[in-house]
Amino acid sequence: MSTTRATMPVVTAASDADAGSAPIRRGWTARWTQRWARRLGGRNARLVARPSLMLLLYSLVAQAISLGLAPVLTRLYGPQDFGILGTVTAIVTVCVPLVTGRFELAIPGARERGERYALLVLCLGCIVCGTALAAVVAWLASHHLQIGALAVLRDVWYFIPLALFFMALYDVLGIEASRRALLGPVAT
């Protein structure tokens, strides 16, 4: 019984043949990435693949850092503090699309420069008005409603509009940066 060993495909560039350098060997991940980049980006496959892989890499690094810091944070803060953090995070995550009005999704589709800037101004106006409204609602809910989890938020109510403002601003500016192909600075 003989077994054959699978060989990796050899990818050579035109300049490699001229320079006499060794051919480039690529693994299955590079082939898979190139195949999907070609499907998504057509002739501009490299323009699609590299920024996407950069975002993926930076997201994985950010998740690894937060996972690595979890044991340290559990030593510093108690279960009640994590409950408060979870409640604030849940409220903010649900309210961000309400504050932005999801107008930031229209930014990449805008054809003209003036239309893009008008959408950015609209998004920023929605963020400011929505954050002000959220500040009033958070203060009223934390000081006048004594319902379960809201009673615990009495001391940290001001974090809700603050986090809401910065998360919504991050969403809008992140979409604008991805439209401009500035993914490297956004991902870091």
Side-chain angles (χ1 to χ4, degrees):
M1 179 180 218
S2 67
T3 58
T4 58
R5 190 172 146 186
T7 59
M8 294 177 64
V10 177
V11 178
T12 59
S15 62
D16 288 342
D18 297 335
S21 61
I24 303 167
R25 295 191 180 270
R26 298 204 177 179
W28 69 270
T29 55
R31 289 191 314 266
W32 182 83
T33 304
Q34 286 175 350
R35 182 174 43 231
W36 278 101
R38 266 187 260 118
R39 287 180 185 168
L40 295 174
R43 293 185 334 187
N44 300 324
R46 291 183 95 183
L47 297 175
V48 172
R50 184 161 186 224
S52 300
L53 289 177
M54 284 175 43
L55 275 178
L56 176 68
L57 177 69
Y58 290 135
S59 296
L60 287 174
V61 169
Q63 292 294 326
I65 289 171
S66 65
L67 187 64
L69 288 178
V72 174
L73 292 175
T74 56
R75 299 287 183 213
L76 293 175
Y77 300 107
Q80 184 177 8
D81 297 328
F82 277 106
I84 293 171
L85 175 66
T87 304
V88 170
T89 304
I91 291 171
V92 169
T93 304
V94 168
C95 291
V96 164
L98 299 174
V99 167
T100 61
R102 302 306 283 168
F103 289 117
E104 75 271 12
L105 296 178
I107 292 173
R111 301 249 186 249
E112 297 175 8
R113 187 177 193 165
E115 187 180 358
R116 286 191 299 267
Y117 286 127
L119 283 169
L120 278 173
V121 169
L122 177 65
C123 288
L124 295 177
C126 286
I127 290 172
V128 169
C129 293
T131 302
L133 180 65
V136 171
V137 169
W139 183 81
L140 287 173
S142 66
H143 284 79
H144 297 294
L145 297 176
Q146 299 302 321
I147 303 171
L150 292 178
V152 176
L153 295 178
R154 181 174 215 167
D155 297 330
V156 294
W157 68 269
Y158 50 88
F159 281 117
I160 294 172
L162 192 64
L164 193 59
F165 176 80
F166 285 113
M167 279 185 70
L169 188 65
Y170 177 79
D171 280 352
V172 170
L173 295 180
I175 289 199
E176 174 61 17
S178 68
R179 186 200 62 79
R180 291 186 183 189
L182 298 173
L183 295 176
V186 172
T188 55

